[in-house]
Amino acid sequence: MRQIIPAIVLLLLSCVSVQAQDSVNVAVAKASPGSNKFAVYGNAEASYISNSVAKGFGEINFKPIFLWRISPKLFIEAEMEIETGGGSADLGLEYANMCYTVNPYLTLHAGRFLPKFGAYRGRLAEGFINRFSSNPTGFGDGGIGASVETGVGALGALPFGDIKILYDCYVVNGPHLLTDTLNAGQFDYEAYTANNNSLAVGGRIAIVPLAASNLELGFSFQHKAKTGDAGTENENVSLDMQAVDLNWYQNISALQSTLRITGELRHQKTGDNAAYLAADGVTKYLFANSPRAWYLSGSLRPALVDNTFFRNLEFAYRYSNYKRPVNAPWGGAAVTSNEFAVDYWLHWNSLIKLAYQSKSDEPKTFYASVVFGF
């Protein structure tokens, strides 16, 4: 008992000390305009895939997003991704972007950030936003455009009455031309460092023309004068990309439903001065490298009905097309894809997806996936 009493007294004194220190910290935090505010968001995803070649559970993804508000003008966003698609757990830095708010109409940012070219990869591809379990053909890996960029940029919005103009402009490392036998003419869009003394410049401008803000039309471009590695014969091969995108939704009273339509068209043109080595390592060849990809999707959700079960259902269809260079080692005939999905929303950022895909160069595939946002 004599040993227990001093221990209890010491514990009480420690608690009082901690509470006093916490009070001081709270007071300092309230008094300091630069106090940090921190939050963690993100999503987790699990999937099942079944076709004539394989059946089984596929990728497990966990993507925490860290948000820091350092002051009313300073903000940091970063995302880590842990995925198992390669057969083992793989940890990667998706983005780490530092932002400075100049005024309500202009924000400057620098770091590794979601792409500003087009709308799908930077805004609609996340698992709890995408109504399907896959990407449109030509918009994922091996397609046109980056999923992240490294550089600096400026973005904002300008109101003109009921009309709003959104803008993004940026300077980034940009795409690196690949010249190996299997990938000749494709690009590494997501390199962490530059490969020559040329940077890519680009931007997106969009208009929200309606007072209800339920329609957005965008145009994007990107140009890089040199895409090849420094000192190589392909260093001066240029690349130009353009894209147009659409995002529209409307409540349909007669159907007691919400209709959403999204779409995007992308095109890129590689400089004609590119030369690639054939498999023999000696012969050089050229090909017209001007691929194009587009998709159009629509979804209908009976969100206005009284029945909870039906209100949380959503039915979606997407068509996508990827026109590849005919003579490229990775090219050939155009790839088309038809996808049908039935989703059930558990929460505004959590859902179950059941999807069926018929793709011209792959077996017909059934997908089932669960995405939880947090």
Side-chain angles (χ1 to χ4, degrees):
M1 179 65 71
R2 291 180 179 177
Q3 294 177 346
I4 295 176
I5 292 176
I8 294 175
V9 173
L10 181 60
L11 178 61
L12 292 174
L13 290 174
S14 298
C15 291
V16 171
S17 177
V18 169
Q19 290 177 351
Q21 184 62 47
D22 287 345
S23 299
V24 172
N25 291 339
V26 169
V28 171
K30 288 182 178 180
S32 173
S35 58
N36 274 273
K37 293 184 178 180
F38 174 73
V40 179
Y41 294 89
N43 64 86
E45 182 173 4
S47 61
Y48 173 81
I49 301 174
S50 176
N51 56 40
S52 60
V53 177
K55 292 179 175 64
F57 294 95
E59 292 189 8
I60 307 297
N61 294 336
F62 177 65
K63 299 189 287 186
I65 300 173
F66 306 98
L67 307 174
W68 289 270
R69 183 177 181 268
I70 301 171
S71 77
K73 288 185 173 292
L74 300 179
F75 178 79
I76 299 175
E77 55 180 354
E79 178 182 293
M80 304 291 293
E81 180 174 11
I82 304 172
E83 58 181 352
T84 61
S88 61
D90 181 34
L91 174 64
L93 174 66
E94 288 298 293
Y95 57 84
N97 193 30
M98 297 166 285
C99 305
Y100 174 71
T101 302
V102 178
N103 57 50
Y105 312 106
L106 172 63
T107 298
L108 307 177
H109 63 96
R112 189 167 174 85
F113 47 85
L114 292 173
K116 310 302 181 183
F117 177 79
Y120 179 78
R121 291 301 293 265
R123 304 169 67 190
L124 302 175
E126 283 291 346
F128 63 91
I129 300 176
N130 184 6
R131 270 59 174 176
F132 304 88
S133 298
S134 59
N135 294 313
T137 182
F139 285 77
D141 294 337
I144 300 173
S147 61
V148 288
E149 299 271 22
T150 301
V152 299
L155 59 89
L158 302 172
F160 296 93
D162 291 336
I163 299 174
K164 304 175 187 66
I165 302 296
L166 314 178
Y167 67 90
D168 276 300
C169 54
Y170 56 87
V171 179
V172 294
N173 287 334
H176 296 184
L177 179 67
L178 301 178
T179 57
D180 61 280
T181 303
L182 295 178
N183 300 300
Q186 284 192 310
F187 293 88
D188 178 0
Y189 293 98
E190 301 168 15
Y192 286 93
T193 58
N195 66 333
N196 55 43
N197 62 0
S198 175
L199 296 173
V201 296
R204 176 180 181 268
I205 186 167
I207 182 171
V208 181
L210 305 178
S213 298
N214 61 334
L215 173 65
E216 182 178 342
L217 302 169
F219 170 76
S220 304
F221 75 93
Q222 188 179 117
H223 169 76
K224 189 176 183 183
K226 301 179 182 181
T227 61
D229 292 339
T232 66
E233 64 176 323
N234 286 323
E235 178 181 359
N236 294 320
V237 174
S238 63
L239 180 67
D240 289 281
M241 301 193 298
Q242 296 87 32
V244 291
D245 61 82
L246 158 74
N247 189 351
W248 175 73
Y249 74 91
Q250 182 69 48
N251 289 333
I252 313 244
S253 300
L255 299 176
Q256 293 186 290
S257 300
T258 299
L259 173 67
R260 180 178 293 275
I261 295 176
T262 62
E264 187 171 332
L265 167 66
R266 293 183 172 190
H267 177 268
Q268 73 178 28
K269 177 69 171 65
T270 306
D272 296 330
N273 55 331
Y276 310 105
L277 285 176
D280 60 14
V282 178
T283 307
K284 293 183 179 181
Y285 69 99
L286 307 173
F287 61 86
N289 192 359
S290 185
R292 181 186 69 234
W294 66 275
Y295 83 89
L296 185 66
S297 72
S299 67
L300 187 70
R301 180 178 177 181
L304 306 179
V305 302
D306 294 329
N307 185 282
T308 302
F309 176 80
F310 288 106
R311 188 167 62 236
N312 291 327
L313 282 174
E314 187 166 13
F315 306 91
Y317 168 73
R318 181 171 69 194
Y319 176 83
S320 55
N321 180 290
Y322 184 25
K323 178 182 175 294
R324 303 174 297 178
V326 175
N327 297 318
W330 45 274
V335 178
T336 61
S337 177
N338 288 276
E339 298 167 79
F340 304 87
V342 178
D343 302 331
Y344 187 80
W345 291 88
L346 304 168
H347 192 53
W348 70 267
N349 61 352
S350 302
L351 71 160
I352 299 171
K353 307 178 190 179
L354 302 177
Y356 175 80
Q357 182 183 55
S358 176
K359 197 172 181 179
S360 58
D361 62 344
E362 295 180 3
K364 294 177 174 61
T365 302
F366 168 77
Y367 296 91
S369 56
V370 180
V371 182
F372 281 8
F374 57 86

